[in-house]
Amino acid sequence: MITTTSQAEARQQKREPVLSIRQLVKRFGGLTAVNKVDMDVYPGEVVGLVGDNAAGKSTLIKCVSGVYHPEDGEIYFQGRRVNFARPIDARNAGIETIYQDLALAGNLNVSANIFMGREAKKRHLGGLIHTLDERYMLDESKQVLDTLEIRFPSYTEQIEKLSGGQRQAVAIARAVYWQARLMIMDEPTNNLGVVEQRKVLELIHKLKEQDVPVILISHTLPDVFAVTDRIVVLHRGRKVTEKSTSETDSQEIVQYMVGALDDSAEIRTA
Amino acid sequence: MALGKQQAIEVGTTTSQRERRKQLVLLLSRVWAWVFLGILIVFFIVSVPIVSEGSVTFLTVRNSQNILVAITPVLLLGLGQTFVIIAGGIDLSVGWMMSLASVISALVIRETFNVGQPLLAAVIIGFVATVVGTGFVGFLNGTIIARLKVPAFIVTLGSSFIVRGVAFLLTDNTTVIGLPPGLRDYGNNALIYLIRGEGGGVYFLNSPDVTGDLLRNMDRVLPYPVVLTVIVVAIAMFLLKKTQFGRHTYAIGGNLEAALRAGIPVDRHIISLYMLSAVTAGIAGFLSTLRFTAGSAVIGDPLLLSSIAAVIIGGVSLFGGAGSVMGTVIGALLIAVLTTGLVMLNVLPFWQFIVVGVVVILAVLIDQARDLIIGRFESE
């Protein structure tokens, strides 16, 4: 196992990892997409998961979020061994994955999206009739958006009228509101303008302040270096290195991404 | 520097102008059906007396009530359809479902009455049987669509044939007659009776016992079928706008995948939507049995397309996610006003179809033009 300084620091603070992945293996037919990967995420930590196309980033993440079922290895979440049958189970446990398509309903407004599937209701006639508690949902939505310093011109407009970055913000706010214990973000800055990209990165900082750990999957190394504490590099399904962000640079990371450098090989040969 | 400031101000003005124009387009696209309805009514108020040389006027109490009675079946079929289409589905079975309901309710009322039950009990049992029967077919529709993932278009097309066959089998291809004579009152009596002219007056609930000129001058205001339909419309509005059920309907139509990930019980919801659609069609069939004191296996068929037309004119998107109950009410009203007015103008009835067809296409064109114009504003 590769030990890095930041992990050591985290242990010194006696903080248990939120997420622990041990020797995880996922195969598709003859192809081993994820090969004996170990990974830890500590509270309030932003971990970058990088690698070339088909390096196994998305597969690894989908094993954690219950989309795929690993062939071998273990996943521990908040100290407990987990084995999510479906994505909704992972979500109920507190693992929120924000995919590129955002999983928002464009025809609904901000608060309806934040409360989608978990709408607040008012009781009438002794519980005989339930109506939506729009006021409560709107107030709560404004509050969570405020803590993330997100402002919209209108909270009652359908979100398809919002920009890509604003929608991303709604998705993040939803995860925060429902107290995600771990946030997985898959290419969150793709298809966004420069200003919006910066806003999303700011949001990741905010999540860190709220002690919500984030796994950030991204091709955009400047983004990764801007927000992460630690970077994990995958190459052809294997973890080739894990570096504290402050102790590496993008040139070195690229070397790992293309397979020119490989720490795990050194360990094996040693 | 000064020039730059000048430019900035000008840009500011055009932006706000554009914003105002955008809001205007949005408003127009939202209320055009109302405006069009108003224009139609004014047009008929003016043209009907001219064509009939003053012997007929369009806006009378009697005519308004006729229009209301005429739209009840189309509206009821359209109500369930509104929910189904907002959630991204379609229900082609509502026409024949109404027929089946008419047959079931007629048979159940007749047989219950014939075994010696009082009329009111027979009517109630007939109503319950209709709701249960159509609800069951709707359950099957929804289950095949949601659980077996067969497209709604195919499932409801198939079930409309099945329902049609069952209705004809039940009636042996004749009209169900021999219903208790008192049934007519349930289908035709009104909340209020107005008698114009000398010796006239206002009566509530009970039909006044009059003959001759007085009877000719009597108008039934708010007949029971209209009252029941108003109640169903109110419930539908409440359901769609105020409850979790309605919110989930919009969410499923807006982004099915998102709804699933949000933990909305999508399959169960879709099943209940097709049940709702079947039951509102069932109520339409039940009311037609009361109104005509007979069960007919062909009554609903011609209304399917009218009801879908009403829904589309009312602004429900066939792609799902958008629409309202009020829109469907306006759509149904528009079709009924158009139909009634053209008849009063002595226009051959076939022209109705042509005009309704044009309005349906116009409705969708207006929607598209709105998106296009607003898109242009935003890209400017």
Side-chain angles (χ1 to χ4, degrees):
Chain A
M1 218 193 116
I2 305 152
T3 308
T4 69
T5 27
S6 82
Q7 266 181 321
E9 275 166 19
R11 285 208 195 88
Q12 276 162 11
Q13 291 167 358
K14 284 182 184 159
R15 297 183 86 171
E16 291 294 313
V18 177
L19 179 76
S20 266
I21 298 171
R22 289 287 166 270
Q23 296 290 301
L24 203 81
V25 177
K26 174 66 194 172
R27 295 189 194 93
F28 295 106
L31 176 81
T32 307
V34 174
N35 194 356
K36 295 187 177 171
V37 171
D38 289 319
M39 185 174 164
D40 288 302
V41 180
Y42 289 86
E45 198 184 23
V46 181
V47 179
L49 187 58
V50 300
D52 208 351
N53 288 332
K57 300 166 300 196
S58 289
T59 309
L60 177 65
I61 278 332
K62 283 179 175 169
C63 288
V64 175
S65 62
V67 178
Y68 292 149
H69 301 198
E71 263 80 40
D72 205 359
E74 289 129 45
I75 301 171
Y76 296 89
F77 184 61
Q78 297 186 301
R80 233 176 275 143
R81 172 121 192 236
V82 289
N83 207 341
F84 299 122
R86 294 166 305 154
I88 190 77
D89 298 328
R91 211 170 155 218
N92 289 339
I95 298 178
E96 195 80 28
T97 313
I98 297 180
Y99 290 100
Q100 285 161 16
D101 61 15
L102 301 174
L104 301 170
N107 60 333
L108 299 180
N109 65 28
V110 173
S111 68
N113 266 290
I114 288 177
F115 281 84
M116 196 201 298
R118 297 181 267 207
E119 291 83 2
K121 284 173 284 183
K122 278 186 293 198
R123 290 153 51 93
H124 303 275
L125 303 176
L128 198 65
I129 296 172
H130 295 263
T131 56
L132 292 171
D133 196 341
E134 303 279 10
R135 169 151 298 236
Y136 175 81
M137 290 193 277
L138 183 62
D139 289 347
E140 292 282 296
S141 300
K142 278 183 180 163
Q143 219 171 350
V144 67
L145 291 167
D146 270 351
T147 60
L148 296 171
E149 288 172 30
I150 306 166
R151 296 213 188 349
F152 295 129
S154 158
Y155 294 85
T156 50
E157 249 195 298
Q158 301 183 333
I159 64 158
E160 64 196 1
K161 301 201 173 89
L162 302 178
S163 70
Q166 287 172 323
R167 286 206 293 271
Q168 187 80 251
V170 174
I172 293 168
R174 173 163 74 182
V176 170
Y177 183 78
W178 295 104
Q179 298 180 335
R181 307 307 335 149
L182 170 67
M183 192 93 80
I184 300 171
M185 300 172 90
D186 193 350
E187 302 282 1
T189 52
N190 267 17
N191 309 320
L192 294 185
V194 178
V195 180
E196 303 231 283
Q197 284 181 7
R198 210 169 53 217
K199 188 75 201 168
V200 168
L201 296 180
E202 276 170 27
L203 273 176
I204 294 175
H205 275 301
K206 282 274 173 337
L207 288 174
K208 188 179 162 69
E209 281 168 23
Q210 313 261 326
D211 231 17
V212 180
V214 178
I215 298 177
L216 172 69
I217 304 175
S218 183
H219 271 104
T220 323
L221 284 184
D223 289 355
V224 174
F225 275 90
V227 291
T228 61
D229 300 298
R230 205 143 50 80
I231 300 173
V232 172
V233 186
L234 297 186
H235 181 67
R236 294 188 182 158
R238 283 182 309 111
K239 182 167 88 173
V240 289
T241 194
E242 182 173 347
K243 299 262 181 203
S244 183
T245 306
S246 53
E247 291 165 7
T248 184
D249 55 53
S250 55
Q251 260 180 341
E252 191 186 18
I253 292 297
V254 169
Q255 296 278 297
Y256 282 106
M257 283 168 72
V258 297
L261 287 172
D262 187 342
D263 292 355
S264 62
E266 284 163 26
I267 286 171
R268 268 208 304 271
T269 50
Chain B
M1 189 65 204
L3 192 70
K5 210 173 181 181
Q6 188 79 26
Q7 272 171 344
I9 291 167
E10 271 169 18
V11 168
T13 339
T14 47
T15 312
S16 79
Q17 264 175 355
R18 203 180 303 149
E19 185 61 26
R20 234 178 296 143
R21 258 187 293 161
K22 187 176 129 189
Q23 293 302 328
L24 188 71
V25 172
L26 268 178
L27 184 73
L28 273 178
S29 71
R30 215 172 295 144
V31 299
W32 77 269
W34 288 92
V35 175
F36 190 65
L37 182 63
I39 293 173
L40 267 185
I41 291 173
V42 171
F43 170 72
F44 287 129
I45 288 174
V46 174
S47 62
V48 167
I50 296 173
V51 171
S52 66
E53 289 166 351
S55 65
V56 186
T57 48
F58 181 75
L59 205 62
T60 59
V61 174
R62 179 166 299 174
N63 201 23
S64 71
Q65 297 306 307
N66 285 344
I67 289 174
L68 288 182
V69 171
I71 71 165
T72 52
V74 175
L75 184 52
L76 284 169
L77 294 190
L79 279 183
Q81 191 79 266
T82 302
F83 281 78
V84 168
I85 295 181
I86 286 175
I90 183 104
D91 190 348
L92 298 179
S93 68
V94 289
W96 290 105
M97 193 77 76
M98 176 181 167
S99 297
L100 178 70
S102 170
V103 169
I104 291 178
S105 56
L107 289 173
V108 170
I109 290 172
R110 187 177 71 190
E111 298 315 315
T112 318
F113 187 72
N114 285 352
V115 297
Q117 293 296 324
L119 182 58
L120 180 63
V123 169
I124 290 170
I125 291 170
F127 182 76
V128 171
T130 310
V131 168
V132 171
T134 51
F136 177 70
V137 183
F139 174 77
L140 294 182
N141 273 344
T143 305
I144 296 169
I145 291 162
R147 302 244 190 249
L148 304 181
K149 312 291 176 208
V150 183
F153 190 96
I154 307 290
V155 174
T156 56
L157 181 71
S159 71
S160 84
F161 275 94
I162 295 168
V163 164
R164 174 189 194 170
V166 172
F168 278 117
L169 283 173
L170 284 175
T171 59
D172 218 1
N173 197 19
T174 56
T175 308
V176 182
I177 49 167
L179 270 64
L183 197 61
R184 215 189 160 279
D185 295 343
Y186 286 89
N188 295 280
N189 278 6
L191 276 188
I192 304 161
Y193 295 86
L194 276 180
I195 300 177
R196 279 166 286 127
E198 212 173 309
V202 184
Y203 301 84
F204 294 96
L205 290 173
N206 280 314
S207 179
D209 197 7
V210 291
T211 50
D213 279 349
L214 285 179
L215 187 60
R216 255 195 299 284
N217 286 335
M218 187 175 79
D219 290 319
R220 300 157 200 275
V221 179
L222 298 178
Y224 292 152
V226 172
V227 174
L228 186 63
T229 305
V230 168
I231 293 170
V232 176
V233 167
I235 292 173
M237 271 178 184
F238 173 78
L239 211 54
L240 191 58
K241 285 288 174 219
K242 298 285 177 197
T243 70
Q244 191 176 40
F245 185 86
R247 179 59 51 81
H248 287 179
T249 306
Y250 280 111
I252 290 170
N255 187 345
L256 180 69
E257 186 61 34
L260 275 169
R261 280 201 203 147
I264 293 174
V266 171
D267 286 1
R268 216 171 61 207
H269 194 86
I270 289 176
I271 292 170
S272 55
L273 288 176
Y274 285 93
M275 290 176 75
L276 180 77
S277 174
V279 167
T280 56
I283 294 173
F286 171 79
L287 287 179
S288 85
T289 294
L290 297 192
R291 186 162 162 228
F292 302 114
T293 338
S296 162
V298 294
I299 187 92
D301 173 42
L303 299 176
L304 165 68
L305 292 179
S306 299
S307 73
I308 294 181
V311 171
I312 292 170
I313 292 171
V316 177
S317 164
L318 275 182
F319 300 108
S324 69
V325 169
M326 203 57 208
T328 301
V329 172
I330 296 297
L333 210 54
L334 217 149
I335 292 176
V337 166
L338 206 59
T339 310
T340 318
L342 290 178
V343 168
M344 295 177 87
L345 285 179
N346 283 327
V347 175
L348 276 177
F350 312 112
W351 282 100
Q352 299 163 18
F353 301 133
I354 293 168
V355 178
V356 169
V358 169
V359 174
V360 166
I361 295 171
L362 210 63
V364 177
L365 277 178
I366 288 174
D367 255 15
Q368 289 183 353
R370 176 198 58 197
D371 294 345
L372 204 73
I373 293 169
I374 286 177
R376 199 170 295 160
F377 279 154
E378 273 164 7
S379 65
E380 258 171 30

